Amino acid sequence: MTVEMLNEIKKRNEDIVKVRRLVAEEGEKLSKNTAYRKQVLICGGTGCTSSGSRDVIDALKNELEVQGINDVLVVKTGCFGLCSLGPIMIVYPEGSFYSQVTPKEIPEIVAGHLVVGGEPVKKYLYAKTVCEDGSTIPLSETPFYKKQMRIALRNCGVIDPENIEESIASDGYFALAKVLTTMSQQDVIDELLAAGLRGRGGAGFPTGRKWAFAMAQQNDTKYVCCNADEGDPGAFMDRSVLEGDPHSVIEAMAIAGYTIGSNQGYVYVRAEYPIAVQRLQIAINQAKEYGLLGKNILNSGFDFDIEIRLGAGAFVCGEETALMTSIEGHRGEPRPRPPFPAVKGLFDKPTILNNVETYANINPIIINGADWYSKIGTETSKGTKVFALGGKINNVGLVEVPMGTTIREIVEEIGEGIPNGKKFKAAQTGGPSGGCISAEYIDVPIDYDNLVKIGSMMGSGGMIVLDEDTCMVDLAKFYLEFTVDESCGKCTPCRIGTKKLLDYLTKITEGNGEIEDLDKITELANHMKTSSLCALGQTAPNPILSTMNAFGDEYLAHIKDKKCPAGVCKALLSFVIEEDKCRGCTLCARNCPVGAISGNVKEPHHIDPEKCIKCGLCFNNCHFNAIIKK
């Protein structure tokens, strides 16, 4: 493979990809597609696959064959982002966005839209793309996409992730070509430092500095690692990039290898990501076949190869030294630092480790330049950040926004608010290592430093939206249960500390808490933060400390009043039937599993608190809102 050959492949495929990108990202209306009359892109990411997108693809291909249509290209892509609407199907050149498609609708869509002279079948289109007058707008103009800026996700939902030529048509491997033919190792470091790229997997350490440390080490063997373990509950950013654009990671790892003087890379990905693993392996095989991995890449004399290592789902293996220990074939446990991995990492050799999203930013920085990238974001946090937006939010999915975007913009504009008219209570960022951001800080611009100041952290990018029905004490308990399970047990502060913190929270949620427990929690949490071996133990207290700080009144209600204000903690909960609202329909009594409800037909009923197991079935089944939580 030569640079000239890369250009030939791009020229051969760029018209196909250009149609999709112009319509989806720029809203440009195109009437002609020279390669195919129409292209149909269907999401093949995990979310849509679980909703049945494979059946939709099979039904579409079959129906096209039945109707004798052979000038329509069907492409299985990665995630489009708007996961709550899957399976998703987009038809180009119109850019028609079909949501929640099932095989049942396919014959009508083919007959009405995909035939020559056809028009979009509007009743199946995503409602936000259809105007009152019947006209349609491009995805880029819908609330979910309008404020986004897709850099790491630039190719997800746009290209076929199993076709290297579509990646090349989207500038894939051209950054590697530029680096190998025109840039020195120090040039790459300087570009990353000038761009201001910080690691997207945790605390945000400057990527250029990390690479510079490893480059400076004098050693014949060095390694490049990719952290695709992604263990945070509710996080799926890295998975989606691997499923939708695996070549961006491969290319960036090769650039990293050239920069630090490494010839071998490892991608550590959890085995629970079968689609991501499969597409990554396909991409590695294709890159080798095209001469973009392996020996003498682009006739530069540079050799670089990549292997996949599967993780078994241990959260602690997201910590860099534990990850490397696992790759070596040992039990995934962290190692003391220093020495840091850039000095002594995998197999005791200098090693750099970045996560998937960090690598996905490398190509655009090299192609477009540090000046372009550094103008995006805030003074100390450049570029964009991908968030997995979930919880109590109308638009669940992947969101990529410039650093400095506020939580209000993400929740109210991109996420389109909270279901059922509920109020925003908090946003939990950073997973088990992060904290809760209360409504008081909803207008704070999101970047690494601001999140730390208000008691949370960026982490890998999970953002769980919480409404007024969330108990913050119970939420902190949920995260502590997770860290107790995931602690490797190597160091005493984490092994014992997480369990003791969980005991305190369990005691409080069961109505047995004492005021003194809050001081004990704070003291223990601070000890853990300073003495735990790795970030799992050091950050495990964050969900508790942040909720105690922002929602201290809820802790006091649990302890002093023996009440859970949100009506979540069962031990502090009681169900009562309001006599003036009860119609005596007997539905609650008939559904009670323990016979705790009594009363005659058409007369007010009563709940025996001694028998009640607080399962909530009566509350959920009452049609007259006669049952209340106390």
Side-chain angles (χ1 to χ4, degrees), residues 39-266:
Q39 299 183 48
V40 182
L41 275 62
I42 301 177
C43 177
T46 293
C48 284
T49 297
S50 65
S51 299
S53 66
R54 286 176 180 167
D55 295 334
V56 173
I57 293 171
D58 292 341
L60 176 61
K61 289 181 177 178
N62 180 67
E63 190 64 25
L64 290 171
E65 184 178 346
V66 167
Q67 297 200 28
I69 300 173
N70 56 17
D71 54 357
V72 172
L73 177 66
V74 178
V75 179
K76 181 171 65 175
T77 72
C79 180
F80 290 102
L82 200 45
C83 303
S84 54
L85 294 181
I88 289 171
M89 182 172 84
I90 301 184
V91 179
Y92 293 106
E94 300 92 325
S96 302
F97 185 104
Y98 291 97
S99 62
Q100 297 178 328
V101 183
T102 69
K104 248 185 348 182
E105 288 99 47
I106 290 300
E108 189 175 350
I109 292 173
V110 172
H113 188 181
L114 301 184
V115 295
V116 175
E119 295 289 337
V121 183
K122 291 180 180 176
K123 63 181 177 179
Y124 298 134
L125 295 177
Y126 173 40
K128 296 293 171 67
T129 64
V130 182
C131 304
E132 288 185 9
D133 62 2
S135 61
T136 60
I137 60 173
L139 274 183
S140 58
E141 293 302 313
T142 61
F144 183 76
Y145 291 100
K146 188 179 290 185
K147 287 210 166 185
Q148 291 197 49
M149 183 177 187
R150 291 163 74 88
I151 296 178
L153 299 177
R154 63 193 177 278
N155 291 327
C156 294
V158 177
I159 67 169
D160 178 353
E162 297 182 15
N163 184 344
I164 190 173
E165 296 204 357
E166 289 204 359
S167 174
I168 293 170
S170 299
D171 287 331
Y173 295 99
F174 278 88
L176 177 61
K178 180 178 178 181
V179 164
L180 294 182
T181 58
T182 67
M183 299 176 74
S184 68
Q185 293 171 295
Q186 188 60 48
D187 287 340
V188 178
I189 298 292
D190 291 343
E191 196 76 3
L192 294 182
L193 290 173
L197 177 65
R198 297 173 66 171
R200 296 302 194 248
F205 190 81
T207 304
R209 286 177 61 194
K210 179 183 286 190
W211 290 21
F213 290 150
M215 183 186 72
Q217 302 306 309
Q218 300 300 312
N219 202 303
D220 292 337
T221 304
K222 299 180 183 181
Y223 295 103
V224 172
C225 290
C226 174
N227 182 354
D229 190 56
E230 196 170 49
D232 287 6
F236 52 97
M237 301 77 59
D238 291 351
R239 184 196 75 200
S240 295
V241 172
L242 288 180
E243 290 175 351
D245 189 19
H247 288 284
S248 66
V249 177
I250 294 170
E251 178 184 18
M253 290 180 69
I255 292 171
Y258 166 79
T259 304
I260 72 166
S262 168
N263 302 118
Q264 181 63 52
Y266 291 94

Side-chain angles (χ1 to χ4, degrees), residues 237-380:
M237 301 77 59
D238 291 351
R239 184 196 75 200
S240 295
V241 172
L242 288 180
E243 290 175 351
D245 189 19
H247 288 284
S248 66
V249 177
I250 294 170
E251 178 184 18
M253 290 180 69
I255 292 171
Y258 166 79
T259 304
I260 72 166
S262 168
N263 302 118
Q264 181 63 52
Y266 291 94
V267 180
Y268 188 86
V269 57
R270 53 182 45 230
E272 297 96 327
Y273 284 178
I275 297 175
V277 172
Q278 179 188 32
R279 290 189 183 156
L280 181 60
Q281 189 60 64
I282 290 171
I284 289 173
N285 294 342
Q286 289 178 341
K288 289 180 180 179
E289 180 185 344
Y290 278 65
L292 297 167
L293 270 184
K295 300 289 185 182
N296 193 26
I297 298 172
L298 295 172
N299 291 331
S300 65
F302 171 60
D303 303 335
F304 190 76
D305 204 354
I306 293 175
E307 295 181 23
I308 298 173
R309 290 291 184 268
L310 299 183
F315 179 65
V316 73
C317 287
E319 193 277 335
E320 58 182 2
T321 62
L323 182 152
M324 293 173 196
T325 304
S326 181
I327 290 177
E328 292 168 357
H330 306 298
R331 187 173 188 267
E333 293 180 335
R335 302 193 285 243
R337 296 177 302 174
F340 292 95
V343 177
K344 188 177 181 181
L346 185 63
F347 302 115
D348 291 336
K349 302 295 184 180
T351 305
I352 59 168
L353 173 73
N354 292 108
N355 82 328
V356 170
E357 186 185 343
T358 309
Y359 283 125
N361 279 276
I362 299 297
N363 171 289
I365 290 173
I366 300 298
I367 293 291
N368 299 306
D371 186 57
W372 164 79
Y373 191 82
S374 64
K375 290 177 181 176
I376 305 166
T378 67
E379 184 64 31
T380 60

